[in-house]
Amino acid sequence: MTTALITHADCLTHVTPDGHPERVARLEHVLHALEPLDLTRVTAPLAAEDDILRIHPASYLADLRRNRPAEGFYQIDGDTFLSPGSLDAAFRAAGACVRAVDMVLGGEVGNAFCAVRPPGHHAETDTSMGFCLFGNAALAAKHAVDHHGLSRVAVVDFDVHHGNGTQDILWDEPRALVITSQQMPLWPGTGRADETGAHGNVLNLPLAPDTGGIEMRAVWRNHAFPRLRSFRPELIIISAGFDAHMDDPLAQLNWETDDFAWITAELCAVAAEVCQGRVVSTLEGGYDLNALAASARAHVQELIRAAT
Ligand SMILES: [Zn+2]
């Protein structure tokens, strides 16, 4: 079995103002770093409107369409912008995640990485925020349970920021377990350990600033992986943010590139035990271009190793 790399050039047409950390060059660096790897390369489709409406109300989608600028930018909040290409990019990002779930559950590939932007894990049910428009990982989870009929799907999120959007969308979804570690305190401010979901289906693992891979590994080994194993998901979806890297400018965790390889390998090991290795990963944050590229490459190399 192989690893799918799912992306689309439209994801480069979502433009942000000069100096914005979530910029086109991020994806260009990731794709360049993945060029030498042996991957099944897949063009991301546009998500169907019905896919988006699994997790966002029609009014939310209508607002985004109405606010899409013909030129320049529409500013949604302090750090979230629409450019003329943003919705095409967002529909490709969401479509990549849907396609990834279809390919992995259909046995076409062993696992999949969606190299997409805008990222998704801060987009709440009816609120764009934190550079995110559609909840890509949550959508993948909903697609897996609603369309494919899975009984249990896990979303794990190691981005340095709390995946508030994924938590919001899946808060009342008993078929989905959400496990997320994040620096705390840090924007967006949510993700305390006592936020546990409507059905006890959310596990938040706050990490203190200036901690590194040793602390992270202990928390995931002692709390995240046992919970994941006991839940026995039929699919594991990864919100793969690489901004916990020590070189990242937006946060203060000190993970090294090898920590991203480690957590990926461990997640793939759990997947091999409980769900035939079925993993779908989607790009979230990571704002130092070199650290992002190296960490994403390390992540995907572990996916490839697990799939073969
Ligand atoms: Zn982040």
Side-chain angles (χ1 to χ4, degrees):
M1 296 282 268
T2 62
T3 295
L5 170 64
I6 310 179
T7 187
H8 195 284
D10 282 356
C11 292
L12 302 170
T13 66
H14 167 56
V15 180
T16 51
D18 284 349
H20 195 287
E22 204 294 284
R23 55 205 191 275
V24 171
R26 296 180 60 244
L27 182 55
E28 292 173 335
H29 274 64
V30 168
L31 293 173
H32 181 69
L34 301 182
E35 250 168 40
L37 303 185
D38 184 17
L39 292 157
T40 298
R41 291 163 198 277
V42 178
T43 300
L46 293 165
E49 187 158 323
D50 285 351
D51 292 325
I52 304 300
L53 297 180
R54 285 189 200 283
I55 62 167
H56 298 296
S59 58
Y60 175 80
L61 187 52
D63 283 348
L64 286 175
R65 285 178 165 145
R66 187 171 55 251
N67 292 330
R68 171 167 45 179
E71 58 184 30
F73 300 104
Y74 176 83
Q75 184 164 7
I76 294 173
D77 65 12
D79 48 29
T80 311
F81 293 83
L82 292 179
S83 69
S86 295
L87 276 185
D88 287 341
F91 270 92
R92 295 288 180 189
C97 289
V98 170
R99 183 84 180 98
V101 170
D102 291 343
M103 291 186 77
V104 169
L105 293 183
E108 295 177 62
V109 292
N111 53 37
F113 179 66
C114 302
V116 294
R117 52 184 294 281
H121 74 151
H122 296 306
E124 297 187 342
T125 302
D126 57 5
T127 307
S128 311
M129 59 188 285
F131 320 155
C132 300
L133 301 179
F134 296 147
N136 302 325
L139 172 56
K142 281 288 199 183
H143 180 68
V145 295
D146 286 348
H147 179 76
H148 288 279
L150 297 194
S151 302
R152 297 176 310 282
V153 59
V155 179
V156 299
D157 185 332
F158 56 73
D159 189 281
V160 78
H161 303 96
H162 179 232
N164 61 293
T166 305
Q167 172 171 296
D168 176 61
I169 293 167
L170 299 178
W171 183 264
D172 194 22
E173 174 50 82
R175 298 168 294 180
L177 170 67
V178 177
I179 300 179
T180 166
S181 73
Q182 54 274 338
Q183 179 180 319
M184 180 162 279
L186 186 66
W187 189 93
T190 49
R192 298 185 317 273
D194 63 359
E195 298 168 25
T196 56
H199 310 279
N201 56 308
V202 174
L203 175 61
N204 271 294
L205 302 168
L207 299 168
D210 299 315
T211 56
I214 292 173
E215 292 86 352
M216 175 277 284
R217 292 185 192 208
V219 164
W220 278 78
R221 194 182 282 125
N222 294 335
H223 301 284
F225 299 134
R227 181 68 179 278
L228 199 51
R229 283 191 168 90
S230 67
F231 183 69
R232 300 192 68 79
E234 299 162 282
L235 172 69
I236 296 176
I237 296 161
I238 303 177
S239 265
F242 301 99
D243 40 9
H245 194 284
M246 61 195 307
D247 292 340
D248 197 276
L250 296 196
Q252 294 80 40
L253 292 190
N254 295 316
W255 297 16
E256 298 180 24
T257 303
D258 186 54
D259 290 313
F260 295 100
W262 177 84
I263 198 167
T264 307
E266 292 291 318
L267 288 168
C268 287
V270 176
E273 288 173 33
V274 303
C275 56
Q276 302 92 53
R278 301 195 293 204
V279 171
V280 166
S281 175
T282 185
L283 180 64
E284 301 286 0
Y287 303 100
D288 178 88
L289 295 179
N290 292 329
L292 168 64
S295 301
R297 179 181 163 120
H299 174 67
V300 173
Q301 282 178 313
E302 292 302 327
L303 292 178
I304 292 170
R305 204 186 314 275
T308 49

